Amino acid sequence: MSAQAMLMTPKEDPWDVALKQFDRAADHLPLKRGIREFLAYPKRELTVHFPVKMDDGSVRIFTGYRVHHSTVLGPTKGGIRYHQDVSLNEIRALAMLMSWKCAVVGLPYGGAKGGVVVNPKELSQNELEHLTRRYATEISILMSPEGDIPAPDVGTNPQVMAWIMDTYSMHRGYSTPSVVTGKPVSIGGSQGRVEATGRGVAIATREMARHVKLNLDGARVVIQGFGNVGSVASVLLSKLGCKIIAVSDTRGGVVNPGGLDPARLVEHKNRTGSVAGFPGANLISNEALLELPCEILVPSALEGQVNEDNAARLHTRLIVEGANGPVTPGADDVLGSRGITIIPDIVANAGGVIVSYFEWVQGLQQFFWAEEEVNQNLERIMVRSFGQVLQVAADRKVDLRTAALIRAIDRVADALFTRGIYP
Ligand code: NAD
């Protein structure tokens, strides 16, 4: 029986999507049923309901999660998301994805994810700090430098990581920087971490372009989601010669077929809170943006943005998944049949967790690297991992997502087999 059939969930639910992707790859591996189930199920899941004192003196109850998908390769690693649509199934799916991401790029981690059901934009800075410190305390039974190391994700940032690190350290009585990554450099963060995911997206795009002989000079790029990942990717892709023709955020998109200046877009977004209203560009809806003719589409917002409803209308050659899970399995099929290549999330956006790993190592050793060294090591791991995935795809005649998952699942299964089943 497939893992998907074992764990019934509604259609297009993120967890359902993660299981479908797992099943597609696991079918290529000689896994016994029990091992396959073991690899699919999350190891542990924590749900917390906790109070936060609001600025007006009232108390509000929030719900949060932390899920560990696998501890086979090492401690668990994965971001914390603050978003109003966070659900246990979404966090499960993202935790599983983290296991495969760490495995495919060869990091000694299992996957985890956390989240709080909250729109952080509706909280004051003071309320956000209280929420973060209380959530960190609630999940501290799972979190530690040796056991589970969170990082930023949608709606969280280096400041949130600093509060988590401080809260954990206060409970211990000494500073414990390696309990989270993505911290500000002033308290043990790594040089290059803020840019790492976008830098990895640019490296993966460059490697793929080389492979398929796509000339990046003047190649039209569309980026959905102009946050941490999307904004850095736009700047670095533009340095590689690409022409960024459209970008968007929750408030809308902007388009200019002649090209947008990413550095000025970043400055505009920092000043106004959105890319909307950028001078010299026309407004475009997020739906229409995805369907613009381009060579490279980089979805860098949330899950399920490219799905069976719009996949047939996309006009791109390459999709680079800056976000986690932006393309559904149904869309994978449509796009595959139309000859559109997808660089899957677990490879394309692995730069963030790779540099988070460097940050963790630096923190444990209290020995910090220059940005150049960080970027060189990121480049080395991204290029090597990408090459390995291309090789699996060629050997097994499968798409890149399946190839990446085959390699990742095989690595975890091999470690599991070597460790054995306790007791
Ligand atoms: P972020 O909060 O910095 O940015 C997200 C951006 O997407 C924001 O600009 C937001 O306005 C926009 N957005 C949200 N919904 C949208 C929609 N429907 N249409 C258009 N824009 C929309 O988050 P981030 O850290 O950049 O993460 C983006 C994605 O990348 C997520 O899927 C995340 O899991 C993934 N990711 C992030 C990292 C990292 O290091 N930050 C690493 C790996 C993967």
Side-chain angles (χ1 to χ4, degrees):
M1 198 197 311
S2 70
Q4 188 202 346
M6 288 182 291
L7 301 161
M8 290 288 287
T9 49
K11 200 165 168 265
E12 296 304 279
D13 174 283
W15 177 231
D16 191 44
V17 168
L19 289 174
K20 263 190 206 157
Q21 292 176 341
F22 171 81
D23 281 334
R24 282 186 179 184
D27 284 346
H28 290 266
L29 294 167
L31 299 170
K32 295 219 166 69
R33 185 193 155 148
I35 299 300
R36 186 162 164 154
E37 276 186 50
F38 184 97
L39 293 170
Y41 278 88
K43 181 180 175 71
R44 53 176 81 97
E45 306 175 342
L46 176 68
T47 300
V48 293
H49 306 286
F50 59 94
V52 177
K53 264 190 226 153
M54 310 303 282
D55 290 348
D56 64 4
S58 66
V59 172
R60 256 181 78 186
I61 303 297
F62 290 89
T63 299
Y65 307 99
R66 186 74 186 164
V67 173
H68 293 177
H69 173 259
S70 169
T71 55
V72 172
L73 289 177
T76 51
K77 189 92 193 72
I80 291 175
R81 178 171 292 194
Y82 288 173
H83 193 275
Q84 58 277 16
D85 296 336
V86 160
S87 67
L88 180 56
N89 272 0
E90 180 187 52
I91 299 300
R92 280 175 164 169
L94 293 168
M96 189 200 235
L97 217 55
M98 281 305 294
S99 291
W100 311 142
K101 192 182 298 181
C102 293
V104 79
V105 296
L107 302 181
Y109 288 136
K113 203 78 181 187
V116 177
V117 187
V118 61
N119 180 351
K121 289 180 191 151
E122 288 174 0
L123 300 190
S124 69
Q125 188 78 344
N126 193 38
E127 291 167 337
L128 195 64
E129 178 174 354
H130 286 165
L131 176 136
T132 299
R133 289 186 181 277
R134 182 65 190 237
Y135 169 69
T137 305
E138 297 288 345
I139 66 162
S140 65
I141 51 174
L142 293 188
M143 184 171 63
S144 68
E146 304 81 21
D148 176 31
I149 308 111
D153 190 73
V154 175
T156 57
N157 56 29
Q159 177 60 69
V160 171
M161 296 306 114
W163 289 326
I164 295 177
M165 175 275 202
D166 185 68
T167 302
Y168 186 89
S169 299
M170 286 300 124
H171 293 173
R172 291 291 170 290
Y174 49 89
S175 285
T176 316
S178 294
V179 71
V180 285
T181 58
K183 301 179 293 292
V185 171
S186 60
I187 58 164
S190 178
Q191 300 288 346
R193 173 60 185 90
V194 172
E195 301 81 13
T197 309
R199 185 174 294 280
V201 165
I203 295 170
T205 309
R206 187 198 67 206
E207 291 302 295
M208 192 70 214
R210 253 183 217 155
H211 185 68
V212 297
K213 302 193 173 31
L214 167 67
N215 185 3
L216 287 184
D217 211 16
R220 293 165 301 170
V221 175
V222 169
I223 299 191
Q224 186 202 37
F226 202 72
N228 172 278
V229 179
S231 63
V232 175
S234 75
V235 171
L236 295 177
L237 284 170
S238 145
K239 283 191 180 155
L240 290 174
C242 298
K243 187 162 70 170
I244 314 298
I245 60 163
V247 303
S248 66
D249 57 35
T250 38
R251 292 204 220 154
V254 287
V255 58
N256 181 346
L260 301 160
D261 179 343
R264 286 186 49 225
L265 271 168
V266 170
E267 192 267 320
H268 180 82
K269 168 127 188 168
N270 288 344
R271 195 162 35 82
T272 66
S274 172
V275 293
F278 184 67
N282 291 322
L283 268 177
I284 185 167
S285 71
N286 262 303
E287 294 72 36
L289 172 128
L290 291 172
E291 297 169 17
L292 284 170
C294 61
E295 278 70 48
I296 302 166
L297 173 64
V298 190
S300 307
L302 293 173
E303 299 93 82
Q305 296 296 306
V306 178
N307 47 49
E308 279 169 271
D309 294 338
N310 62 3
R313 296 196 298 272
L314 264 50
H315 294 285
T316 184
R317 188 162 162 203
L318 188 61
I319 295 181
V320 188
E321 294 188 327
N324 286 313
V327 179
T328 64
D332 267 347
D333 295 339
V334 176
L335 297 164
S337 71
R338 295 183 56 214
I340 296 173
T341 302
I342 302 171
I343 309 181
D345 43 14
I346 62 171
V347 179
N349 69 34
V353 73
I354 293 170
V355 176
S356 270
Y357 167 63
F358 299 159
E359 179 176 335
W360 181 68
V361 167
Q362 292 172 74
L364 290 175
Q365 298 181 340
Q366 292 295 312
F367 181 72
F368 292 90
W369 312 351
E371 185 171 356
E372 196 184 19
E373 194 173 354
V374 170
N375 290 345
Q376 276 169 2
N377 279 301
L378 170 63
E379 165 88 21
R380 181 176 55 77
I381 295 179
M382 283 296 300
V383 170
R384 182 191 66 198
S385 308
F386 191 78
Q388 289 167 342
V389 171
L390 281 180
Q391 193 59 52
V392 175
D395 292 348
R396 295 193 179 247
K397 301 190 174 27
V398 292
D399 59 79
L400 292 179
R401 187 186 314 286
T402 309
L405 286 168
I406 288 174
R407 190 170 161 77
I409 296 167
D410 196 31
R411 182 158 186 249
V412 181
D414 181 52
L416 178 61
F417 183 76
T418 308
R419 282 178 66 159
I421 301 290
Y422 175 85

mmCIF file of all heavy atoms in Angstrom, residues 9 39 74 87 106 124 166 223 234 236-237 265 267 272 344 362 399 403 414-415:
data_model
loop_
_atom_site.group_PDB
_atom_site.id
_atom_site.type_symbol
_atom_site.label_atom_id
_atom_site.label_comp_id
_atom_site.label_asym_id
_atom_site.label_seq_id
_atom_site.Cartn_x
_atom_site.Cartn_y
_atom_site.Cartn_z
ATOM 1 N N THR A 9 -5.708 11.982 3.508
ATOM 2 C CA THR A 9 -5.944 13.407 3.773
ATOM 3 C C THR A 9 -6.664 13.994 2.554
ATOM 4 O O THR A 9 -6.648 13.399 1.490
ATOM 5 C CB THR A 9 -4.614 14.158 3.966
ATOM 6 O OG1 THR A 9 -3.755 13.804 2.900
ATOM 7 C CG2 THR A 9 -3.969 13.855 5.283
ATOM 8 N N LEU A 39 9.642 5.862 6.858
ATOM 9 C CA LEU A 39 10.190 7.060 6.215
ATOM 10 C C LEU A 39 9.112 8.111 5.953
ATOM 11 O O LEU A 39 9.393 9.301 5.904
ATOM 12 C CB LEU A 39 10.880 6.684 4.900
ATOM 13 C CG LEU A 39 12.143 5.845 5.039
ATOM 14 C CD1 LEU A 39 12.592 5.323 3.679
ATOM 15 C CD2 LEU A 39 13.270 6.651 5.679
ATOM 16 N N GLY A 74 20.565 12.703 11.814
ATOM 17 C CA GLY A 74 21.132 13.621 12.809
ATOM 18 C C GLY A 74 20.038 14.438 13.459
ATOM 19 O O GLY A 74 18.856 14.115 13.357
ATOM 20 N N SER A 87 -1.139 25.153 9.296
ATOM 21 C CA SER A 87 -1.920 24.026 9.827
ATOM 22 C C SER A 87 -0.945 22.899 10.137
ATOM 23 O O SER A 87 0.197 22.900 9.648
ATOM 24 C CB SER A 87 -2.933 23.541 8.788
ATOM 25 O OG SER A 87 -2.232 22.977 7.688
ATOM 26 N N GLY A 106 23.405 16.399 1.357
ATOM 27 C CA GLY A 106 24.426 15.747 2.176
ATOM 28 C C GLY A 106 24.669 16.371 3.533
ATOM 29 O O GLY A 106 25.779 16.299 4.062
ATOM 30 N N SER A 124 1.888 44.137 17.040
ATOM 31 C CA SER A 124 2.926 45.150 17.248
ATOM 32 C C SER A 124 4.245 44.401 17.487
ATOM 33 O O SER A 124 4.241 43.186 17.755
ATOM 34 C CB SER A 124 2.593 46.004 18.474
ATOM 35 O OG SER A 124 2.724 45.213 19.649
ATOM 36 N N ASP A 166 17.581 34.030 22.733
ATOM 37 C CA ASP A 166 17.677 34.667 24.052
ATOM 38 C C ASP A 166 16.781 33.948 25.061
ATOM 39 O O ASP A 166 17.192 33.700 26.209
ATOM 40 C CB ASP A 166 17.283 36.141 23.954
ATOM 41 C CG ASP A 166 17.500 36.851 25.283
ATOM 42 O OD1 ASP A 166 18.663 37.007 25.672
ATOM 43 O OD2 ASP A 166 16.502 37.210 25.947
ATOM 44 N N ILE A 223 9.344 36.565 -11.030
ATOM 45 C CA ILE A 223 9.507 36.105 -9.647
ATOM 46 C C ILE A 223 8.229 36.370 -8.857
ATOM 47 O O ILE A 223 7.806 37.520 -8.712
ATOM 48 C CB ILE A 223 10.712 36.804 -8.973
ATOM 49 C CG1 ILE A 223 11.979 36.446 -9.757
ATOM 50 C CG2 ILE A 223 10.819 36.416 -7.502
ATOM 51 C CD1 ILE A 223 13.274 36.828 -9.112
ATOM 52 N N SER A 234 16.353 37.764 -7.272
ATOM 53 C CA SER A 234 16.218 38.712 -8.387
ATOM 54 C C SER A 234 17.509 39.518 -8.572
ATOM 55 O O SER A 234 17.964 39.724 -9.694
ATOM 56 C CB SER A 234 15.012 39.629 -8.171
ATOM 57 O OG SER A 234 15.296 40.598 -7.187
ATOM 58 N N LEU A 236 20.602 38.608 -7.714
ATOM 59 C CA LEU A 236 21.717 37.769 -8.184
ATOM 60 C C LEU A 236 21.482 37.254 -9.611
ATOM 61 O O LEU A 236 22.425 37.138 -10.393
ATOM 62 C CB LEU A 236 21.953 36.609 -7.212
ATOM 63 C CG LEU A 236 22.426 37.065 -5.818
ATOM 64 C CD1 LEU A 236 22.584 35.878 -4.876
ATOM 65 C CD2 LEU A 236 23.739 37.831 -5.904
ATOM 66 N N LEU A 237 20.231 36.973 -9.960
ATOM 67 C CA LEU A 237 19.956 36.533 -11.337
ATOM 68 C C LEU A 237 20.210 37.683 -12.307
ATOM 69 O O LEU A 237 20.702 37.470 -13.424
ATOM 70 C CB LEU A 237 18.513 36.040 -11.460
ATOM 71 C CG LEU A 237 18.256 34.651 -10.860
ATOM 72 C CD1 LEU A 237 16.761 34.336 -10.812
ATOM 73 C CD2 LEU A 237 19.000 33.566 -11.645
ATOM 74 N N LEU A 265 14.012 47.973 -6.710
ATOM 75 C CA LEU A 265 12.795 47.321 -6.207
ATOM 76 C C LEU A 265 12.918 47.020 -4.710
ATOM 77 O O LEU A 265 11.984 47.233 -3.939
ATOM 78 C CB LEU A 265 12.571 45.990 -6.941
ATOM 79 C CG LEU A 265 11.748 46.028 -8.227
ATOM 80 C CD1 LEU A 265 11.872 44.705 -8.955
ATOM 81 C CD2 LEU A 265 10.278 46.332 -7.928
ATOM 82 N N GLU A 267 14.794 48.546 -2.589
ATOM 83 C CA GLU A 267 14.755 49.828 -1.874
ATOM 84 C C GLU A 267 13.300 50.320 -1.766
ATOM 85 O O GLU A 267 12.835 50.743 -0.709
ATOM 86 C CB GLU A 267 15.647 50.813 -2.652
ATOM 87 C CG GLU A 267 15.977 52.100 -1.948
ATOM 88 C CD GLU A 267 14.985 53.190 -2.297
ATOM 89 O OE1 GLU A 267 14.582 53.277 -3.485
ATOM 90 O OE2 GLU A 267 14.587 53.911 -1.395
ATOM 91 N N THR A 272 8.235 51.239 1.199
ATOM 92 C CA THR A 272 6.762 51.311 1.145
ATOM 93 C C THR A 272 6.086 50.047 1.664
ATOM 94 O O THR A 272 4.874 50.029 1.835
ATOM 95 C CB THR A 272 6.294 51.524 -0.313
ATOM 96 O OG1 THR A 272 6.640 50.343 -1.066
ATOM 97 C CG2 THR A 272 6.944 52.732 -0.950
ATOM 98 N N PRO A 344 13.520 21.259 -8.565
ATOM 99 C CA PRO A 344 12.652 21.100 -7.392
ATOM 100 C C PRO A 344 13.166 21.850 -6.173
ATOM 101 O O PRO A 344 14.374 22.051 -6.007
ATOM 102 C CB PRO A 344 12.678 19.590 -7.152
ATOM 103 C CG PRO A 344 13.970 19.133 -7.713
ATOM 104 C CD PRO A 344 14.264 20.035 -8.884
ATOM 105 N N GLN A 362 29.762 26.833 12.941
ATOM 106 C CA GLN A 362 30.564 27.967 13.435
ATOM 107 C C GLN A 362 30.234 28.263 14.897
ATOM 108 O O GLN A 362 31.111 28.516 15.712
ATOM 109 C CB GLN A 362 30.298 29.216 12.584
ATOM 110 C CG GLN A 362 30.811 29.112 11.151
ATOM 111 C CD GLN A 362 30.340 30.297 10.303
ATOM 112 O OE1 GLN A 362 30.841 31.408 10.437
ATOM 113 N NE2 GLN A 362 29.378 30.082 9.423
ATOM 114 N N ASP A 399 12.155 12.728 -14.002
ATOM 115 C CA ASP A 399 12.276 14.187 -13.890
ATOM 116 C C ASP A 399 13.143 14.534 -12.683
ATOM 117 O O ASP A 399 13.451 13.683 -11.834
ATOM 118 C CB ASP A 399 10.889 14.823 -13.780
ATOM 119 C CG ASP A 399 10.140 14.309 -12.579
ATOM 120 O OD1 ASP A 399 10.411 14.780 -11.469
ATOM 121 O OD2 ASP A 399 9.294 13.395 -12.735
ATOM 122 N N ALA A 403 14.120 12.473 -9.277
ATOM 123 C CA ALA A 403 15.540 12.122 -9.108
ATOM 124 C C ALA A 403 16.062 12.613 -7.750
ATOM 125 O O ALA A 403 16.735 11.876 -7.018
ATOM 126 C CB ALA A 403 16.359 12.746 -10.236
ATOM 127 N N ASP A 414 19.276 4.160 3.618
ATOM 128 C CA ASP A 414 20.560 3.490 3.819
ATOM 129 C C ASP A 414 21.063 3.698 5.258
ATOM 130 O O ASP A 414 21.524 2.764 5.922
ATOM 131 C CB ASP A 414 21.566 4.031 2.796
ATOM 132 C CG ASP A 414 22.910 3.364 2.925
ATOM 133 O OD1 ASP A 414 22.947 2.121 2.916
ATOM 134 O OD2 ASP A 414 23.922 4.085 3.071
ATOM 135 N N ALA A 415 20.928 4.932 5.751
ATOM 136 C CA ALA A 415 21.354 5.223 7.128
ATOM 137 C C ALA A 415 20.482 4.463 8.125
ATOM 138 O O ALA A 415 20.978 3.934 9.136
ATOM 139 C CB ALA A 415 21.266 6.729 7.385
#
